[in-house]
Amino acid sequence: MTHTTIDPAALAHLQTWHGKSETLSDSFTAMPVAALSATLDRDDPEPALGTAVPPLWHWLYFLPHARASEIGPDGHPKRGGFLPPVPLPRRMWAGGRLSWEPANPLCVGQQVQRRSTIQSVSHKAGRSGELLFVLVEHKYLNAHGLALTEEHDIVYRSAAQPGEAAPAPQKPPLAGQAAWSRTIVPDDVLLFRYSALTFNGHRIHYDRKYVTEVEGYPGLIVHGPLIATLLLDLLRRQLPDAQVARFEFRAVRPTFDLQPFSVHGKPSADGKTVELWAQDHEGWLTMQGQATLA
């Protein structure tokens, strides 16, 4: 297998997507909230009209509805349209930054508009091949105005190469200092239910033959957004009345379904921020985040 390359002309074409925008509307119904609560094994009351949607659970809405004939070989919708048609085969959610408007929460029963803009398309050649980064900004608005601003980092990578080294492992900066910890068992049912709830057909999360033989990973990959959601879910379990005003996170290393992993948190001394991180069964850092409380 050879590396896919992006020459200057191809990059220039992809960068014409800079500034491209789209506006979508969706109704924040109760069913996805109830279903994710069950998936995360939470004992929440049945969501009613006006129930605030927990932080990051807005990812249950504005789902792509590509027809079956428009699905690519990886299970994602074919490249092009709003996102640029990047030729690199591996696509990952690399991280993001989110800012909520505390006085204007997103709630069950609202009609919500999402205005999305591609802020940048950038390229880097690394030891493992080509990398292309796409930054998308989403603004979520309800009848009262802006409720949430999100910056979403997407990275596209070259196909796996024989003998390709995994990312250098890192220990969490606060290893051994967690105030809160929880072990997660990423079984097939958890990954299936989250894929179904987010209408995510990406085969790396459920097709073991594809993920190991085509993309070269050792097992099914736990969704980055699911891990981020579990980080804030840990915060909510420990501080149920806290209101998150800002959250930023970045994926550091893939998490596979082969072993349990853990999520951890440590509030700052003044209680205004909470450091959050996930680590695999060997203790290596897989995701790092920070929540700022309102």
Side-chain angles (χ1 to χ4, degrees):
M1 186 180 294
T2 58
H3 284 296
T4 301
T5 58
I6 297 177
D7 60 30
L11 178 60
H13 174 63
L14 295 172
Q15 289 179 331
T16 64
W17 264 255
H18 180 204
K20 187 179 180 67
S21 63
E22 70 173 8
T23 299
L24 302 173
S25 294
D26 203 355
S27 179
F28 275 34
T29 57
M31 188 285 289
V33 173
L36 184 55
S37 178
T39 298
L40 300 185
D41 201 26
R42 294 184 55 88
D43 186 22
D44 292 329
E46 197 69 23
L49 291 178
T51 299
V53 173
L56 302 187
W57 291 30
H58 67 286
W59 289 336
L60 300 173
Y61 305 97
F62 298 99
L63 306 179
H65 295 151
R67 293 169 53 191
S69 59
E70 298 170 347
I71 297 297
D74 62 356
H76 266 310
K78 292 177 182 176
R79 309 293 173 86
F82 174 64
L83 289 174
V86 180
L88 305 177
R90 292 192 285 178
R91 170 180 164 181
M92 290 164 289
W93 190 312
R97 294 151 300 283
L98 303 98
S99 296
W100 287 266
E101 302 296 330
N104 185 28
L106 295 168
C107 297
V108 171
Q110 291 179 348
Q111 193 70 21
V112 179
Q113 186 181 83
R114 186 183 75 181
R115 299 175 185 170
S116 304
T117 306
I118 295 179
Q119 298 287 3
S120 66
V121 177
S122 57
H123 172 259
K124 178 181 177 182
R127 286 180 297 175
S128 59
E130 306 285 310
L131 297 169
L132 193 122
F133 301 90
V134 177
L135 171 60
V136 184
E137 180 191 72
H138 302 293
K139 289 187 176 292
Y140 296 82
L141 302 98
N142 57 23
H144 306 291
L146 181 66
L148 167 64
T149 301
E150 174 180 7
E151 291 182 331
H152 173 194
D153 301 322
I154 307 170
V155 61
Y156 298 84
R157 296 181 62 196
S158 300
Q161 302 298 306
E164 179 179 311
Q170 305 174 38
K171 283 291 186 182
L174 297 176
Q177 301 180 46
W180 320 322
S181 298
R182 184 174 178 230
T183 298
I184 308 295
V185 178
D187 59 29
D188 296 32
V189 177
L190 174 63
L191 300 192
F192 164 78
R193 293 176 93 181
Y194 191 77
S195 286
L197 277 170
T198 54
F199 205 59
N200 184 350
H202 199 181
R203 293 167 67 181
I204 63 174
H205 305 302
Y206 61 86
D207 187 337
R208 194 172 305 276
K209 182 178 175 66
Y210 171 85
V211 77
T212 56
E213 296 183 9
V214 177
E215 298 220 7
Y217 293 107
L220 298 178
I221 297 178
V222 182
H223 314 65
L226 173 58
I227 299 173
T229 299
L230 286 164
L231 291 178
L232 284 188
D233 180 67
L234 176 68
L235 186 156
R236 291 180 63 222
R237 289 171 188 265
Q238 298 293 328
L239 302 174
D241 297 324
Q243 189 172 16
V244 177
R246 180 172 171 81
F247 179 59
E248 55 185 278
F249 70 100
R250 64 182 182 93
V252 177
R253 186 178 176 88
T255 298
F256 303 102
D257 73 327
L258 306 174
Q259 300 284 348
F261 67 95
S262 54
V263 290
H264 306 269
K266 182 182 180 182
S268 61
D270 61 10
K272 293 181 179 179
T273 61
V274 179
E275 299 298 330
L276 296 160
W277 68 95
Q279 58 190 58
D280 65 18
H281 66 289
E282 295 182 305
W284 300 122
L285 180 68
T286 59
M287 181 173 287
Q288 188 168 12
Q290 184 187 71
T292 302
L293 306 183

